[in-house]
């Protein structure tokens, strides 16, 4: 590797580290000296709060997993640690699961184990500073202005970070005594699911965390409530599901983090389920919350007396919502994100797609986990981050409500036709920044001047969009509603932002300079004072140069000694003597130069600093005013951001349809599935680059009260998988309200989509290909209904031929007779094609192939009928298997085929019972009880009516009754 570069950067880091140690020791911003961290006298500080549980930590109770904690537990005498060390240890002990970013001056420092972990993870230099109990304290640090980058890397690696800030002015601490430590506290926990910084977020992806709660509904069954919160946009949705649907629901939401109470976290099957998601899993020490306190928490958060207006929630949903708010409070501490009131998403309203199907169809990411190459990446023509997120959300959760699907289609159709309006809206939207995330940062007090500018630009874009839409006649309802939401925002606030904000904006408000000159008279005055002082300094430099006769005299500035005069060594020697001695005070001697301060410079410096302070105070005041004004309008702005995203998605789908010649599918309540000229959007896009045309194919699985099954055979590489998947993707597109890649499509709405495509070992989960295949097939055969669409590709391939064939055979019969679903079944077991004679709703189709000069040519055309053979040897030859192997295989094959002819499979089919799979295997009815003559004879007797003699005779008669 590049050794030089590596050594170079190490060298650089150590210089920086050294510089900052010096700087810190003199920094006016931090009263704490690093030496205080490890010197030996001190006092105790106030106990630190645990950000997860709210409990107060006792440093004596800390466990030894971290160096800091170990140090604390070994330290029987807290008097031996410095005050700052005691403070650090307490805060660290209160947040043991997090890396602690401990603010010191312009750096976040990490100590002990945290330092070692972070230095390894971030590739930054580990230094040592001071000793604790005779051992060096490992330390590393990150500068404040680069903290976001480092945070991003740590979060991506699965760490959590507790950010500990100075919570008082060092001057205040000084008032308590020279040895007192600046107060610090954790102000925020940074976790994967709660980040808000633009640089840490993927603009095209929601950043959800999911709180999960459950309630028992029987001895063996639970109902799960899920609360999904995106702090970066304020989205807050609830849903509920049974255990079987939990994994699909998590896959639909695709959270970055899952927050679960310990009881759920420790449940082995659930633990496995969570581990299979890509999300970080955070156990919550306390059991979520009972529904009553969850309800109270919700009411408090949203300032409402009753939750009725939000809709009716299940108890598990309420508990999950409570947990979610609990987690928001625990990670954001004193900040309160703007959340929209929770809305309920019903699982019955969306097309159910389990995690395996989602992965197989590569809806939002490919099997290898990338967005590029997925259906989402192929169809994404959105131009705003909010639009990209909404498109991903709609693709992940297509609808089942025909009316709602049609409303979305109407909106797309309108913009397909109105191409001028579409272009106008899209070009306006292109200028639109991420309104929702900027608003959220402002709400959390983490906003900067650029967030204000984002709102200014976003609100103006909203106004322009609204105008363009309003001028268009006969808007369909979805676009009409969106336009209304856009109009509801008062653009007055955007106009005042435009007046106030400068053209060039700093990232951080504390850098100042973001208010336009001429906007505020007081600010202009303070700035002029700064300017004047600078001119005065230039004049002073000229005067000093003239007086000392040194033309190279310069007035300079640094953070350590402020303004100073710098002269060459020789002049410096003169300045140490009268008459200059009284004016110039020696500060530093450098190599070849000397530095002096003067009273005049000191006074000027104070004046400049106070003018700068005043200017910044005024700017910050104006920032707060503008933020407050925006936050007052936050519900309207949030609704406006949502409307802009919806318009962007609609226009993007229209653009896609127009560009690629996609058609509006007919979606209704029937069990139709008729597609003419269907294409696979991703394969087609990939082929376009190579100039190869994609061959469109029809399919018809329509039925009256049950769907048809198409059994597809054909050689490898013929296009079976492509054909199967394209039909599934067309359903997803149609039900999300988009146009589809086909000449025409008629789809009776699908309730569940299942796909078992390809074979992949899942060794990470300890399952073989075959096990995975069977688990997924079981899920399909147990859950598919007549309204479902099932795609099965090469089932039974992972085991011995007869095993596999038998399983595939039985699975088809089950699908046909029991599930009655619309299905596509690709197989290399040609034996199965004879089932078409038996099963009335099963038909054969094959991928057309031709041979040319002994080579196989794939035509990728689906035609009725069965493949005559596999062409396996031809494909093997194409793949480059040695000729000797091919020839030997040919001999073996003809021998196998000869034996097979003597025992044809058709005969076996005929031997099998006709209906191998009964529709539902009914348990045998209990047989009627046999007649019991003895009982009848006994019942006929009434002992109270019998004389002793009659009783004796009756007894003899009973003895004579034959037993049954
Ligand atoms: P199989 O499942 O039969 O082995 P695939 O569906 O994986 O075959 O297709 C193999 C390759 O053939 C694809 O990667 C694609 O390049 C090409 N292909 C498949 N279907 C078509 C089609 N309809 N038109 C053009 N090329 C296709």
């Amino acid at each position: 590797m590049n050794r030089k570069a590596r050594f170079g950067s190490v060298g650089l880091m150590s210089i920086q580290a050294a510089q900052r140690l010096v700087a810190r020791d003199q920094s006016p911003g931090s009263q704490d000296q690093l030496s205080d961290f490890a010197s030996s006298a001190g006092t105790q500080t106030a106990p630190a709060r645990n950000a997860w549980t709210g409990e107060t930590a006792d440093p004596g109770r800390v466990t030894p997993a971290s160096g800091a904690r170990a140090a604390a537990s070994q330290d029987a005498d807290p008097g031996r640690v410095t005050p700052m060390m005691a403070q650090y240890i307490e805060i660290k002990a209160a947040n043991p699961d997090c890396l602690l970013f401990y603010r010191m001056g312009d750096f976040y420092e990490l100590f002990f184990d945290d330092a070692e972990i972070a230095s390894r993870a971030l590739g930054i230099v580990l230094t040592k500073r001071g000793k604790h109990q005779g051992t060096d304290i490992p330390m590393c640090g990150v500068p404040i202005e680069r903290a976001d980058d480092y945070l991003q890397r740590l979060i991506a690696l699965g760490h959590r970070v507790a950010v500990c800030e100075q919570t008082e002015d060092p001057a205040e601490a000084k008032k308590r005594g020279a040895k007192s430590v600046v107060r610090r506290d954790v102000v925020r926990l940074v976790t994967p699911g709660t980040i808000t910084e633009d640089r840490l977020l993927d603009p095209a992806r929601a950043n959800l965390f999911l709180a999960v709660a459950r309630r028992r509904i029987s001895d063996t069954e639970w109902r799960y409530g899920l609360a999904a919160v995106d702090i970066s946009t304020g989205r807050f949705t609830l849903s509920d599901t049974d255990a079987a649907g939990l994994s699909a629901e998590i896959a639909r939401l695709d959270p970055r983090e899952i927050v679960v109470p310990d009881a759920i976290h420790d449940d082995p099957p659930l633990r496995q389920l969570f581990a299979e998601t890509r999300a970080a899993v955070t156990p919550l020490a306390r059991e979520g919350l009972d529904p009553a306190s969850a309800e109270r928490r919700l009411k408090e958060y949203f300032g409402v007396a009753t939750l009725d207006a939000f809709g009716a929630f299940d108890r598990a949903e309420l508990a999950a919502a409570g947990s979610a708010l609990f987690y928001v409070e625990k990670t954001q501490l004193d900040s309160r994100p703007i959340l929209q009131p929770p809305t309920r998403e019903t699982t019955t309203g969306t097309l159910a797609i389990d995690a395996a199907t989602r992965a197989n169809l590569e809806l939002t990411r490919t099997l290898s986990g990338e967005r590029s190459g997925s259906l989402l990446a192929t169809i994404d023509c959105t131009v705003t981050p909010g639009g990209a997120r909404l498109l991903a959300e709609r693709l992940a959760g297509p609808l089942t409500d025909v009316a709602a699907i049609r409303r979305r289609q109407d909106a797309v159709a309108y913009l397909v036709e109105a191409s001028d309006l579409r272009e106008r809206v899209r070009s306006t939207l292109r200028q639109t920044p991420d309104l929702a995330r900027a608003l959220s940062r402002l709400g959390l007090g983490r906003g900067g001047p650029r967030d204000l500018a984002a709102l200014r630009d976003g609100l103006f874009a909203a106004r322009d969009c609204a105008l363009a839409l309003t001028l268009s006649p006969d808007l369909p309802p979805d676009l009409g509603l969106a336009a209304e939401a856009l109009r509801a925002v008062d653009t007055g606030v955007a106009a005042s932002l435009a007046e106030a904000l400068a053209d060039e904006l700093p990232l951080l408000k504390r850098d100042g300079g973001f208010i336009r000159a001429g906007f505020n008279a007081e600010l202009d005055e303070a700035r002029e004072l700064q300017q004047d002082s600078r001119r005065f300094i230039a004049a002073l430099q000229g005067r000093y140069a003239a007086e000392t006769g040194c033309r190279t005299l310069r007035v300079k500035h640094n953070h350590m000694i402020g303004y100073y005069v710098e002269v060459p060594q020789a002049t410096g020697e003169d300045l140490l003597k009268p008459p200059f001695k009284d004016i110039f005070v020696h500060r530093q001697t450098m190599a070849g130069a000397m530095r002096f301060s003067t009273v005049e410079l000191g006074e000027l410096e104070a004046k400049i600093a106070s003018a700068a302070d005043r200017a910044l105070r005024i700017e910050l005041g104006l920032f707060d005013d503008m933020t407050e004004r925006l936050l007052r309008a936050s519900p309207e702005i949030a609704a406006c951001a949502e409307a802009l995203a919806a318009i962007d998605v609609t226009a993007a789908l229209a653009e896609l349809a127009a560009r690629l010649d996609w058609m509006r599918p007919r979606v209704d309540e029937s069990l139709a599935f008729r597609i003419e000229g269907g294409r696979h959007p991703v394969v087609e896009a990939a082929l376009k680059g190579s100039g190869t045309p994609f061959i469109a194919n029809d399919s018809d699985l329509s039925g009256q009260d049950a769907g048809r099954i198409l059994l597809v055979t054909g050689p490898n590489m013929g296009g079976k998988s492509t054909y199967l998947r394209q039909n599934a993707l067309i359903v997803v597109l149609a039900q999300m309200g988009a146009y589809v890649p086909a000449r025409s499509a008629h789809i009776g709405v699908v309730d569940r989509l299942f796909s078992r495509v390809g074979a992949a070992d899942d060794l990470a989960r300890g399952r073989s290909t075959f096990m995975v295949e069977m688990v997924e097939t079981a899920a399909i055969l147990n859950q598919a209904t007549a309204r479902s669409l099932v795609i099965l590709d090469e089932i039974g391939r992972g085991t011995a031929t007869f095993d596999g064939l038998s399983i595939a055979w039985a699975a088809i019969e089950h699908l046909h007779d029991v599930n009655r679903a619309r299905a596509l079944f690709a197989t290399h077991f040609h034996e199965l094609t004879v089932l078409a004679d038996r099963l009335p709703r099963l038909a054969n189709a094959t991928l057309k192939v031709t041979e040319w000069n002994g080579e196989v040519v794939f035509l990728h055309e689906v035609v009725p009928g069965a493949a005559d053979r596999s062409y396996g040897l031809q494909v093997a030859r194409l793949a480059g298997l040695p000729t000797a192997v091919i020839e030997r295989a040919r001999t073996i094959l003809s021998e196998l085929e000869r034996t097979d002819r003597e025992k044809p499979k058709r005969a076996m089919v005929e031997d099998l019972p006709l209906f191998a799979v009964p529709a539902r295997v009914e348990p045998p009815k209990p047989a009627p009880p046999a007649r019991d003559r003895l009982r009848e004879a006994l019942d006929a007797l009434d002992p109270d009516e019998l004389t002793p003699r009659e009783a004796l005779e009756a007894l003899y008669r009973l003895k004579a009754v034959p037993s049954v």
Side-chain angles (χ1 to χ4, degrees), residues 683 687 693-697 715-723 726 793 860:
V683 175
L687 288 180
F694 187 90
I695 310 300
N697 280 304
N716 275 320
M717 293 300 288
K720 297 186 298 300
S721 300
T722 307
Y723 177 65
Q726 82 188 28
D793 193 357
H860 303 306

Side-chain angles (χ1 to χ4, degrees), residues 893-911:
L893 178 66
S894 49
E895 185 57 23
L896 287 174
E897 282 176 347
R898 191 183 57 77
T899 357
D900 201 44
R901 266 194 301 281
E902 284 157 18
K903 276 201 307 178
K905 292 277 179 325
R906 184 171 289 276
M908 180 176 111
V909 177
E910 263 126 42
D911 291 347

Side-chain angles (χ1 to χ4, degrees), residues 189-201:
L189 300 183
V190 188
T191 74
T194 58
I195 44 184
T196 50
E197 285 75 2
D198 226 15
R199 283 151 71 194
L200 308 192
L201 289 164

Side-chain angles (χ1 to χ4, degrees), residues 534-555:
R534 292 216 175 90
R535 271 198 297 278
F536 204 68
I537 281 179
L540 208 58
Q541 176 174 298
R543 207 182 83 210
Y544 286 152
E547 281 174 11
T548 56
C550 170
R551 275 188 294 131
T552 53
L553 178 146
R554 294 283 175 269
V555 173

Side-chain angles (χ1 to χ4, degrees), residues 450-683:
R450 292 181 196 169
D451 291 316
L452 292 181
L455 281 151
R456 173 196 63 196
D457 299 344
L459 294 179
F460 280 143
R463 183 196 58 192
D464 294 350
C465 257
L467 195 66
L469 289 169
T470 311
L471 293 175
S472 309
D474 307 323
L475 276 188
D478 273 15
L479 285 179
L481 282 174
E484 217 168 276
L486 300 187
R487 281 195 302 267
V489 190
D490 168 21
T491 38
V493 58
S496 15
L497 284 172
E499 263 178 58
L501 292 176
D503 294 337
E504 297 285 324
L505 296 173
L507 181 65
L508 304 173
K509 59 182 177 185
R510 64 171 191 165
D511 291 340
F514 53 85
I515 297 290
R516 189 184 289 285
F519 179 73
N520 179 294
E522 223 186 317
L523 176 63
D524 289 345
E525 196 188 302
R527 282 178 176 164
E528 259 165 47
L529 216 74
Q530 271 176 281
Q531 290 302 327
D532 281 354
S533 317
R534 292 216 175 90
R535 271 198 297 278
F536 204 68
I537 281 179
L540 208 58
Q541 176 174 298
R543 207 182 83 210
Y544 286 152
E547 281 174 11
T548 56
C550 170
R551 275 188 294 131
T552 53
L553 178 146
R554 294 283 175 269
V555 173
K556 295 184 173 178
H557 182 270
N558 73 20
H559 285 295
M560 273 190 261
I561 54 173
Y563 285 98
Y564 58 88
V565 169
E566 189 170 282
V567 287
Q569 182 83 30
T571 317
E573 299 296 341
D574 291 344
L575 299 192
L576 292 172
K577 299 177 203 142
F580 299 118
K581 188 169 160 292
D582 295 341
I583 302 170
F584 295 96
V585 183
H586 176 252
R587 298 299 300 270
Q588 285 177 329
T589 300
M590 320 295 289
M594 287 172 90
R595 291 173 175 177
F596 297 85
S597 53
T598 71
V599 174
E600 276 167 310
L601 274 177
E603 281 170 357
L604 256 177
E605 174 148 24
K607 226 162 141 191
I608 293 174
S610 89
D613 263 7
R614 222 178 97 216
L616 186 61
R617 260 204 318 278
I618 296 169
E619 287 205 71
L620 294 179
L622 291 170
F623 184 96
D624 290 345
D625 291 348
M626 288 184 278
T627 304
E628 207 187 301
R629 199 167 155 199
L630 285 166
L631 294 181
R632 272 201 304 272
S634 69
E636 292 83 30
I637 298 177
C640 168
E642 268 180 38
L644 283 173
I647 295 169
D648 187 17
V649 168
T650 308
L653 291 175
E655 177 74 17
L656 181 78
R659 244 190 246 169
L660 301 179
D661 202 19
W662 288 14
M663 288 295 165
R664 176 175 179 159
R666 181 171 148 207
V667 180
D668 57 24
E669 303 279 6
S670 70
L671 288 185
F673 190 95
R674 195 170 301 112
I675 287 164
E676 284 174 27
R679 280 125 51 206
H680 189 300
V682 183
V683 175

